[in-house]
Structure formats: C-alpha cells, structure tokens
Amino acid sequence: MSVSGAGLPLDPRGARCLIDHQVEPGPGVARDLRRVIRERLGAEAAVSESVAGDAVLMMHELMANVVLHARARSMRVTVVLLDAVGVLMGVVQDDGVGNVVLPDGSELRDEPGESGRGLAIVAALADTCTVTPYRDGKAVCWALALTPTHP
C-alpha cells in the first residue's frame, strides 16, 4: 500500500486497513458503503465521532461523484488508519472519465442547485486532499489528523 498520495512520509506497516472494497458503481452503492464505513469507524476508539462524521461525509461525496459523473465500471473504496502518526486516510479510485479539480476549500457557497458542492466539502474538511489521474481513471485521497483540531 502506498500512502505517498497524501504526502505522508511513513512506514505503511503502521497502517490498518479498515475498508477496502471494489464495487460496481450504481444506485445505492454509496449509501451501502457509507453504512459500512460508519460501522467500522465507530468501532475504532482512536477515531472520534467528529472525525468519523467528516470521513463518512467525504467518502460519500467522492463515491457519489463517481456514480453520477465518472461513467466508471469499477470503483475502489479504501479507508486506512495510520495509528503511528494519528492519521485517517480515505481513497476513492475509479476507472471512469473526467478530470477532478479540487477547489481550495473556500469555495463553499450556498447555491440553489442540488449538486456541485461535494468536492468543495471534501477540500474544506480534509487536512490534505490530492487527486492522482491515471490513463484510465483517477484516485482522490484525503487525510485527517486524529488530533484535538478534529475533536
């Protein structure tokens, strides 16, 4: 497992994979995986309710983007707890189309539309967020520190 996408220089042996599911994107998949992620994070004493809530929201937004926009055949959803450095990471990878440009986090706005704010929410909540494009798809990775800044 590589964690270099989040810019974290660490030994991956200190990582615990909480979720690693490869699924076919479609109706209900984000809802179903959101429930699984919430359950796994709820079982982790190191992860506060606040961090778990932010993580579930970010993963849901990224999964929904794949389902709604990427026309992907496959989506991989991974959540990793890096105990040694106190970091929770999430990755949503797809084999779909589209270029993801992350807003700077200050672009949250109250617009009347029902969509268009998901990536801004992720950028605002995450301590670190990166997009890695591939020839066939992309991966969006976020990281949250498990510190008092995220009670």
Side-chain angles (χ1 to χ4, degrees):
M1 171 181 40
S2 170
V3 293
S4 61
L8 299 171
L10 50 90
D11 184 347
R13 289 176 292 182
R16 286 191 292 137
C17 187
L18 304 178
I19 306 286
D20 189 20
H21 291 305
Q22 186 146 350
V23 297
E24 182 178 323
V29 73
R31 178 195 63 233
D32 294 343
L33 286 173
R34 185 180 66 226
R35 180 185 48 76
V36 171
I37 293 167
R38 169 66 72 188
E39 288 172 1
R40 299 273 172 85
L41 291 176
E44 290 296 329
V47 180
S48 70
E49 180 62 31
S50 175
V51 169
D54 288 350
V56 169
L57 176 58
M58 289 188 291
M59 292 301 283
H60 179 82
E61 291 296 339
L62 296 175
M63 292 183 295
N65 281 349
V66 171
V67 170
L68 294 173
H69 306 296
R71 298 191 310 262
R73 295 177 315 278
S74 178
M75 172 173 65
R76 186 171 200 147
V77 176
T78 307
V79 177
V80 177
L81 183 58
L82 305 165
D83 289 308
V85 292
V87 171
L88 182 68
M89 286 180 53
V91 181
V92 176
Q93 181 178 358
D94 69 72
D95 63 356
V97 300
N99 184 23
V100 175
V101 177
L102 291 171
D104 66 10
S106 66
E107 296 179 27
L108 280 174
R109 52 197 181 278
D110 189 20
E111 293 186 10
E114 292 185 24
S115 65
R117 291 177 290 279
L119 288 174
I121 290 169
V122 173
L125 291 175
D127 292 323
T128 302
C129 191
T130 61
V131 177
T132 304
Y134 300 103
R135 183 171 43 95
D136 295 319
K138 69 206 132 317
V140 182
C141 176
W142 55 261
L144 281 175
L146 303 176
T147 64
T149 60
H150 296 284

